[in-house]
């Protein structure tokens, strides 16, 4: 029941002792766990709503203390899985829209031949009403992260305030992490890639390029080399970007075999589907180190939903690096916004949870002085948080590698001091979670440098 808590924090199994208060319902639905947290799943108390926007039953009063364990009226691991796999959104879509809507949306989002003007008009129509969506939370959803903090706090309180050691989220005690990814959509994007690399380089920020293997443009060795030579990363984007990758299981199986071959051929560690289409239940066929197709909150994407976390997580053997900021395309053409306000706000919300900033921009859309100015502003902002707030700015494959290593490390006690064991542990830092009143706080353990930028922001959780 507590497996997600020990995986999230990488703390010892005995630090988290949770039990169910009783049998779970047959049906799954929405309920509340305090004012901040919306859950989706089965529960052992009250009712479960079919939609997130109506009144929701709050299970807070049904939590019980039992010896050293906390009894919950729901299974947090089930709730977290429902978010990671976006099962709540799939259940919602079945009742509402149907596949015809999805296919129509797909068409407008993937057609490169329609002019941007026509496409953005059609997309505005198909996305209308997104501002009224009650869940996930716009512009960043941290439901999973707040749930984890709250369970950690309950666990500490149950154990009479004993602080809990865990393996800190990022190497060398970094406060958060940031990655920049570029999806190359057309020949235009291929031609403009070098220009984007110049801009990135001037800020010392490396990026990954997601390249479409078939139909859109021809992928030359020289092009791939031009990316790798400059310290950037090549990934596979979809197969041919026609919007049908996940429409049909048979078709997917045929396509994924090709996608995996292109991955090997490119030496790619990561995969992203066209227009962030996804079906996590099929991800086990993707032969990559990581996927980066799942939005945190997908209000402006044709496939609605969102994984509701700003941390990487595992989908089977794949590391998922969720997309946690709004894409340049949506910002410029759907919101008609060339300011940095939205990105700034998202970055702030992500860093409050020590999460991962994952940016998608396209060489195809950073075309004029106005777009370039906005993009340069974003790079400057990432450079600033790197320096002032000790954020780790790196390539996605490095984040995936670290997350995999951290997931394999063990927290052990040596001579009365906690340390991490396993490959990569020389970069790991042990931190402590403690409860100061109703606030969950993190602090340093041992002699290593930790959070040069000062103590992390605390969160009121109880
Ligand atoms: Zn694309």
């Amino acid at each position: 029941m507590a497996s997600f808590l020990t995986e999230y924090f990488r703390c010892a199994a005995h630090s988290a002792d949770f039990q169910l208060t009783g049998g779970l319902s047959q049906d799954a639905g929405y309920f509340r766990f305090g004012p901040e947290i919306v859950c989706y799943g089965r529960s052992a108390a009250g009712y479960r709503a079919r939609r997130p926007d109506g009144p929701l039953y709050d299970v807070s009063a049904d939590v019980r203390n039992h010896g050293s364990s906390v009894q919950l009226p729901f299974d947090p691991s089930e709730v977290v899985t429902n978010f990671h796999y976006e099962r709540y959104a799939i259940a919602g879509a079945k009742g509402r829209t149907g596949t015809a809507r999805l296919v129509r949306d797909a068409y407008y989002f993937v057609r490169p031949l329609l002019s941007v003007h026509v496409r953005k008009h059609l997309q505005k129509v198909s996305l209308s009403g997104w501002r009224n969506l009650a869940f996930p939370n716009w512009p960043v959803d941290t439901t999973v992260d707040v749930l984890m903090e709250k369970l950690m706090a309950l666990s500490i309180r149950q154990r009479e305030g004993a602080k809990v050691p865990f393996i800190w989220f990022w190497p060398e005690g970094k406060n958060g992490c940031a990655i920049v990814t570029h999806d190359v959509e057309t020949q235009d994007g291929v031609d403009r890639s070098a220009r984007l690399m110049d801009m990135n380089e001037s800020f010392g920020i490396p990026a990954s390029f997601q390249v479409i293997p078939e139909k859109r443009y021809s992928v030359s060795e020289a092009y791939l080399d031009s990316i790798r030579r400059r310290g950037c990363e090549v990934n596979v984007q979809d197969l041919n970007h026609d919007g049908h990758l996940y429409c049909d299981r048979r078709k997917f199986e045929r396509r994924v075999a090709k996608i995996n071959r292109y991955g090997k051929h490119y030496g790619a560690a990561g995969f992203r589907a066209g227009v962030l289409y996804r079906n996590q239940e099929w991800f086990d066929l993707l032969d990559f180190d990581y996927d980066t197709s799942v939005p945190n909150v997908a209000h402006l994407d044709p496939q609605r939903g969102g994984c509701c976390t700003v941390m990487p997580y595992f989908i089977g053997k794949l590391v998922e690096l969720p997309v946690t900021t709004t894409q340049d395309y949506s910002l410029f053409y759907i919101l008609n916004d060339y300011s940095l306000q939205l990105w700034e706000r998202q970055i702030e919300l992500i860093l409050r949870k020590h999460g991962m900033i994952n940016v998608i921009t396209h060489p195809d859309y950073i075309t004029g002085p106005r777009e370039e100015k906005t993009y340069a502003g974003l790079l400057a902002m990432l450079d600033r948080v790197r320096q002032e707030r000790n954020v780790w700015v790196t390539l996605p494959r490095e984040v995936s590698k670290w997350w995999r290593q951290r997931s394999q490390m063990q927290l052990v006690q040596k001579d009365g001091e906690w340390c991490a064991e396993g490959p990569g542990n020389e970069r790991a830092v042990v931190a402590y979670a403690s409860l100061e009143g109703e606030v969950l706080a993190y602090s340093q353990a041992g002699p290593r440098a930790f959070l040069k930028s000062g103590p992390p922001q605390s969160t009121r959780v109880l």
Side-chain angles (χ1 to χ4, degrees), residues 183 185 237 241 274-275:
D183 290 355
E185 305 293 303
Q237 186 192 171
H241 206 289
V275 269

Side-chain angles (χ1 to χ4, degrees), residues 31 37 60 132 145 170 202 219 242 245 266 269 275 288-289 294 309 316 337 389 396 402 452 461:
F31 57 91
I37 305 169
S60 296
N132 302 326
D145 313 289
W170 304 109
S202 70
V219 180
D242 66 355
L245 181 58
Y266 293 177
V275 269
F288 288 83
D289 192 57
V294 183
T309 179
D337 184 357
R389 298 174 71 176
W402 161 258
K452 282 180 233 158
V461 281

Side-chain angles (χ1 to χ4, degrees), residues 417-433:
E417 223 179 89
W418 288 101
C419 54
E421 258 186 3
N425 69 339
E426 65 283 355
R427 294 198 296 161
V429 167
V430 174
Y432 285 107

Side-chain angles (χ1 to χ4, degrees), residues 109-110 183-185 210 212 216 237-238 241 272-276 327 360 362 364-365:
F109 273 89
V110 298
D183 290 355
V184 183
E185 305 293 303
Q210 282 64 242
I212 304 167
R216 283 284 179 102
Q237 186 192 171
D238 211 280
H241 206 289
R272 175 177 285 152
V275 269
L276 304 185
Q327 299 185 42
I360 303 180
H362 303 74
D364 309 77
Y365 304 130

